[in-house]
């Protein structure tokens, strides 16, 4: 079985889709010769040429909108928005156009476009290159939102995103690009809207996304040594959300921690907490704990950045808080 | 509406057909205004009275397969692109028989089958999609062109500049039709643009730009045909700087406090494209009356059709969110 990094897994899904299907092409800033600012699309221009691996000007509105227009004409474009922070520039096209064409037309058209983007702290880029904005898009009817945390998930979910007939915002985490795992020779598509249980447990469910899945797994290991059995569930697709999987896990463990890198207030964890409390209210033995960034923009100085964003110990502390409630 | 055969010159009967269509759009919009004021139409509405020659001149030059993206002032474009008055009126009444099945309304008119990829209520919102659609035509070697309508106000928004830059850079078969009616809602051009010649904005991107008299339907038709030939022939996009006039307010009920009575009256007296064409064709009073009667009947019938249309069920609101 080949071993792929998260970065290579994303690239593998893109190149397989382009190899199989003339309708798929990718566009974005610096994605051709440079291979993208994160190196995800490295080498693709050599195989597929500049027409299908299309460098764009620094024009997020136009590149997002052009991808939408191509999708409405039957293509399956994948537009790379270099940093999540720049989704703010493309937001009009994603939110008002991509998400609504099908609806406003009364179902006459589909918009099978995928917006790939990445973000995440841990390397001191400061306030405008590492935000986690996934919750903004979860709020928009008509969009799907995906956030994989492993190479296997990234590959299988990106494939499904490309072949979904709806616009998908696909979030990658910068600090995960280097993680590796063995993946199958065959690409197995992972249906959108299916959570993954990374670890079974009895005492607490940690529902985590992105980098925090790995932090939660580290926390779970430490907790285990203390005699606390932790289940770790990654929704993987934030919209639509696999509510049943989350609720049934919490019904088993009776305690819940939600964890993501984005700021806690108004974060995706707030939605998860609402879903879980409503679906598993009678099973909960403690309030749902939320883990996320402190309420500030991302600072530059490493010591401050490290202080703001959550780590395994923050998840562990939340686990301690919830199990200490009687 | 039937398409006239594609040709460089227009016969008197072609122009007579254009006249009929422009008058139909005028009467349609007047009826819309009347029914809105009577409280029958929900939402809010923008009519394009005075701009009919642009809609008809451009759309008559298109061929099967060409597509348009329109604006919040879209009734004329939509009718000229082939949506029937019945389907359009039904949409304005919020009926399932409407061209957007009641999901869109006046500012979101779609007719995908007839090549209308949507009127857009975000100023400049539809331009990037036309670039992407035209890119598809280019990649697929389809002999099709994407046409974006927008006003002078839209030339100040980022999507306009990014879309023109990208279209010219990628040499896609697109035509950008700027309906310069000199008003961005209530703000006159001189307050929103530091230049007088709007075509300079396209020239700045290296794009071929043509100035067109938007009150002369024949001129609009011919300029559009040349632009389409250019774009379809792989020579890149074209910008049409169409000079036109809005003879009414920004929206129905707009008191137009920002506009002098004298200017409005003068513009109405001198810039009516339907009156221009009537004079050119030397149509007699009887001839005009006959055409008018015919289009009025179509408009009246569209109101009847719309009123008898099917109301969506409230829960239909939850359909079409996802494919």
């Amino acid at each position: 079985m080949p071993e792929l990094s998260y970065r290579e897994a994303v690239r593998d899904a893109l190149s397989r889709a382009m190899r199989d299907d003339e309708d798929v092409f990718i566009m974005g800033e610096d994605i051709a010769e440079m291979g993208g600012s994160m190196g995800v699309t490295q080498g693709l221009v050599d195989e597929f040429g500049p027409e299908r691996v299309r460098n764009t000007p620094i024009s997020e509105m136009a590149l997002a909108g052009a991808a939408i227009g191509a999708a409405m004409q039957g293509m399956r474009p994948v537009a790379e928005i270099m940093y999540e922070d720049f989704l703010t520039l493309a937001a009009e096209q994603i939110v008002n156009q991509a998400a609504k064409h099908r609806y406003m037309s009364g179902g006459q058209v589909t918009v099978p476009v995928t917006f790939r983007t990445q973000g995440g702290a841990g390397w001191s880029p400061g306030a405008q290159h590492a935000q986690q904005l996934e919750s903004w898009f979860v709020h928009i009817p008509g969009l799907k939102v995906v956030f994989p945390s492993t190479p296997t998930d990234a590959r299988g979910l990106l494939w499904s995103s490309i072949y979904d007939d709806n616009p998908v915002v696909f979030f990658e985490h910068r600090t995960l690009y280097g993680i590796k795992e063995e993946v199958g020779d065959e690409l197995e598509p992972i249906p959108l809207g299916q959570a993954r249980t990374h670890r079974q447990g009895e005492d607490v469910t940690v529902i985590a996304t992105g980098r925090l899945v790995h932090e939660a797994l580290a926390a779970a290991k430490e907790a285990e040594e203390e005699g606390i059995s932790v289940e770790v569930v990654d929704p993987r697709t934030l919209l639509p959300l696999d509510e049943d999987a989350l609720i049934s896990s919490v019904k088993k463990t009776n305690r819940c921690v939600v964890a993501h890198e984005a700021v806690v207030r108004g974060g995706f964890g707030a939605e998860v907490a609402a879903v879980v409390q409503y679906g598993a209210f009678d099973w909960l033995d403690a309030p749902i704990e939320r883990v996320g960034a402190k309420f500030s923009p991302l600072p530059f100085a490493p010591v401050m950045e490290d202080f703001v964003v959550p780590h395994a110990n923050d998840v562990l502390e939340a686990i301690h808080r919830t199990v200490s409630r009687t | 509406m039937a398409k006239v055969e594609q040709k460089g010159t227009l016969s008197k009967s072609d122009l007579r057909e254009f006249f009929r269509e422009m008058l139909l759009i005028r009467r349609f919009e007047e009826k819309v205004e009347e029914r809105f004021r009577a409280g029958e139409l929900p939402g809010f509405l923008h009519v394009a009275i005075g701009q009919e020659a642009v809609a008809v001149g451009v759309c008559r030059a298109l061929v099967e397969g060409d597509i348009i993206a329109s604006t919040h002032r879209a009734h004329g474009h939509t009718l000229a692109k082939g949506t029937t008055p019945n389907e359009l009126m039904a949409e304005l009444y919020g009926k399932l028989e409407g061209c957007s099945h009641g999901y869109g309304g006046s500012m979101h008119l779609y007719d995908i089958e007839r090549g209308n990829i949507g009127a857009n209520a975000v100023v400049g919102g539809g331009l990037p999609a036309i670039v992407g659609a035209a890119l598809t035509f280019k990649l697929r070697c389809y002999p099709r062109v994407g046409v974006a309508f927008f006003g002078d106000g839209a030339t100040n928004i980022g999507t306009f500049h990014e879309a023109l830059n990208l279209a010219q850079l990628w040499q896609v078969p697109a035509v950008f039709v700027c309906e310069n009616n000199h008003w961005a809602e209530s703000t006159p051009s001189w307050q929103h643009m530091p230049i007088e010649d709007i075509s300079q904005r396209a020239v700045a991107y290296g794009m071929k730009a043509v100035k067109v008299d938007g009150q002369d339907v024949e001129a609009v038709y011919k300029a559009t045909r040349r632009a389409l030939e250019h774009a379809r022939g792989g020579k890149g996009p074209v910008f049409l700087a169409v000079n036109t006039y809005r003879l009414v307010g920004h929206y129905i009920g707009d008191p137009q406090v920002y506009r002098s009575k004298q200017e409005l009256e003068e513009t109405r007296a001198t810039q009516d494209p339907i009156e221009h064409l009537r004079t050119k064709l030397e149509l007699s009073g009887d001839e005009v009356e006959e055409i008018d009667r015919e289009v009025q009947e179509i408009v009246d019938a569209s109101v009847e059709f719309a009123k008898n249309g099917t109301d969506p069920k409230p829960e239909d609101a939850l359909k079409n969110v996802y494919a």
Side-chain angles (χ1 to χ4, degrees):
Chain A
M1 293 228 289
E3 191 182 61
L4 290 184
S5 69
Y6 185 94
R7 174 186 286 110
E8 289 163 338
V10 173
R11 187 188 303 147
D12 194 45
L14 292 173
S15 53
R16 283 175 190 246
M18 282 199 285
R19 226 168 273 146
D20 281 11
D21 186 347
E22 284 280 320
D23 290 341
V24 179
F25 72 101
I26 63 177
M27 56 200 278
E29 294 156 12
D30 304 306
I31 67 162
E33 289 78 8
M34 179 175 158
S37 64
M38 296 297 134
V40 171
T41 54
Q42 227 159 50
L44 296 186
V45 72
D46 298 329
E47 181 175 353
F48 301 104
E51 292 286 315
R52 297 182 68 201
V53 179
R54 190 166 273 273
N55 262 350
T56 71
I58 303 172
S59 297
E60 279 80 8
M61 290 182 252
L63 88 88
I68 292 163
M72 289 170 78
Q73 296 301 318
M75 305 294 274
R76 292 192 178 275
V78 181
E80 177 174 310
I81 304 293
M82 188 189 277
Y83 284 86
E84 274 176 60
D85 313 74
F86 310 156
L87 282 173
T88 57
L89 296 159
E92 190 281 311
Q93 289 289 313
I94 298 171
V95 172
N96 292 326
Q97 312 292 336
K100 295 181 174 63
H101 277 307
R102 177 171 184 79
Y103 191 78
M104 295 191 297
S105 69
Q108 291 175 67
V109 69
T110 56
V111 191
V113 60
T114 304
F115 301 103
R116 275 186 53 239
T117 190
Q118 63 82 31
W123 56 291
S124 280
Q128 297 174 336
H129 275 70
Q131 293 172 82
Q132 298 273 277
L133 299 178
E134 66 279 2
S135 73
W136 289 21
F137 296 88
V138 171
H139 196 64
I140 306 299
L143 296 179
K144 293 191 177 182
V145 179
V146 179
F147 193 3
S149 62
T150 71
T152 304
D153 288 353
R155 191 170 73 154
L157 287 166
L158 180 53
W159 180 275
S160 297
S161 299
I162 293 169
Y163 283 99
D164 198 281
D165 280 335
N166 300 285
V168 178
V169 188
F170 190 91
F171 289 90
E172 296 157 23
H173 197 287
R174 178 185 166 127
T175 66
L176 297 182
Y177 278 127
I179 63 164
K180 290 183 172 176
E181 77 182 342
E182 286 194 345
V183 298
D185 290 323
E186 294 299 313
L187 187 156
E188 282 181 31
I190 299 168
L192 303 189
Q194 249 180 37
R196 171 176 174 185
T197 301
H198 277 269
R199 179 196 163 100
Q200 303 276 345
E202 303 299 326
D203 302 327
V204 185
T205 296
V206 179
I207 299 168
T209 59
R211 180 178 64 84
L212 265 290
V213 172
H214 302 275
E215 302 296 310
L217 287 167
K221 218 168 166 187
E222 287 193 41
E224 191 175 30
E225 286 164 19
E226 301 167 11
I228 306 165
S229 167
V230 177
E231 181 147 308
V232 177
V233 183
D234 176 2
R236 303 191 292 188
T237 304
L238 313 190
L239 180 66
L241 182 63
D242 188 351
E243 297 186 3
D244 291 346
L246 309 186
I247 290 165
S248 60
S249 173
V250 175
K251 280 183 177 175
K252 184 177 75 172
T253 62
N254 311 113
R255 293 169 201 271
C256 180
V257 173
V258 296
H260 50 57
E261 187 178 301
V263 291
V264 170
R265 184 166 300 171
F268 176 67
E271 177 66 18
V272 170
V275 164
V276 167
Q277 72 81 19
Y278 193 81
F281 185 74
D282 291 331
W283 282 263
L284 280 168
D285 289 343
I288 297 166
E289 291 288 337
R290 290 200 280 163
V291 174
K294 294 176 177 64
F295 202 66
S296 80
L298 286 164
F300 165 66
V303 291
M304 290 199 288
E305 188 198 47
D306 199 52
F307 173 77
V308 167
V309 299
H311 305 283
N313 63 304
D314 296 294
V315 180
L316 187 62
E317 281 171 18
I319 291 168
H320 288 156
R321 283 198 299 274
T322 187
V323 294
S324 71
R325 298 280 293 230
T326 48
Chain B
M1 272 161 237
K3 287 266 178 224
V4 287
E5 203 189 321
Q6 282 299 300
K7 45 194 163 186
T9 57
L10 292 168
S11 69
K12 207 165 174 183
S13 81
D14 293 333
L15 285 172
R16 208 186 141 99
E17 182 53 30
F18 286 14
F19 180 85
R20 197 194 74 92
E21 195 170 335
M22 285 162 63
L23 194 61
L24 172 63
I25 292 169
R26 174 73 56 89
R27 296 294 180 241
F28 186 95
E29 293 212 295
E30 286 170 349
K31 181 61 77 178
V32 165
E33 188 156 1
E34 175 199 302
R35 296 335 298 158
F36 180 77
R37 288 180 192 277
E40 285 180 11
L41 302 178
F44 71 124
L45 292 145
H46 309 83
V47 293
I49 287 173
Q51 302 179 198
E52 295 88 348
V54 191
V56 172
V58 169
C59 290
R60 283 290 174 143
L62 304 177
V63 298
E64 178 102 28
D66 292 343
I67 62 164
I68 64 163
S70 178
T71 70
H72 57 285
R73 206 177 297 287
H75 304 151
H77 306 148
T78 304
L79 290 170
K81 191 69 177 81
T83 301
T84 66
N86 284 1
E87 290 164 305
L88 177 52
M89 194 64 88
E91 184 60 31
L92 304 186
Y93 274 83
K95 304 290 184 175
L96 286 178
E97 290 81 359
C99 61
S100 302
H101 309 303
Y103 288 79
S106 172
M107 293 195 287
H108 310 292
L109 302 170
Y110 289 76
D111 195 336
I112 296 295
E113 210 178 295
R114 296 188 181 99
N116 179 352
I117 68 163
N120 216 297
V122 179
V123 169
L127 275 73
I130 282 294
V131 178
L135 174 66
T136 303
F137 302 157
K138 185 180 174 181
L139 291 174
R140 287 268 176 269
C141 300
Y142 295 150
R144 300 170 62 184
V145 180
V147 176
F149 287 101
F150 52 94
D152 46 308
T155 68
N156 295 313
I157 202 162
T159 43
F160 166 83
H161 294 277
E162 291 194 8
L164 259 68
N165 182 57
L166 201 59
Q168 179 68 15
L169 183 70
W170 288 350
Q171 291 287 290
V172 298
V175 176
F176 296 96
V177 181
C178 178
E179 294 182 281
N180 180 3
N181 68 16
H182 310 281
W183 293 98
E185 300 200 8
S186 73
T187 306
S189 297
W190 65 268
Q191 274 183 21
H192 72 69
M193 274 195 318
I195 54 172
E196 278 186 23
D197 178 2
I198 210 162
S199 67
Q200 286 179 352
R201 297 199 154 171
V203 172
Y205 296 107
M207 192 179 294
K208 181 181 169 70
V210 180
K211 292 177 196 170
V212 188
D213 177 359
Q215 304 313 89
D216 177 350
V217 72
E218 193 171 3
V220 175
Y221 175 85
K222 286 182 174 170
T224 308
R225 267 190 55 90
R226 282 192 292 273
L228 290 167
E229 255 170 55
H230 185 93
R232 216 185 301 282
K235 293 179 186 156
V238 180
F239 180 87
L240 296 181
V242 184
N243 192 56
T244 186
Y245 295 92
R246 196 183 79 200
L247 304 181
V248 291
H250 166 56
Y251 57 91
I252 298 177
D254 179 359
Q256 299 191 75
V257 292
Y258 49 85
R259 208 168 169 180
S260 83
K261 268 204 165 69
Q262 194 195 347
E263 179 267 325
L264 190 55
E265 276 166 22
E266 270 176 27
T267 308
R268 279 180 178 158
T270 57
Q271 299 295 346
D272 186 333
I274 295 176
E275 197 50 35
H276 288 186
L277 188 55
R278 190 193 68 77
T279 310
K280 189 174 187 172
L281 287 170
E282 297 173 321
L283 294 174
S284 71
D286 283 352
E287 283 175 299
V288 173
E289 210 173 292
E290 190 193 324
I291 298 169
D292 206 359
R293 210 168 28 241
E294 186 205 332
V295 299
Q296 295 260 25
E297 275 173 24
I298 293 171
V299 170
D300 290 344
S302 75
V303 174
E304 278 313 295
F305 176 84
K307 284 184 175 176
N308 292 321
T310 318
D311 285 321
K313 294 194 287 292
E315 60 271 27
D316 286 341
L318 303 182
K319 293 179 183 170
N320 298 317
V321 180
Y322 291 97

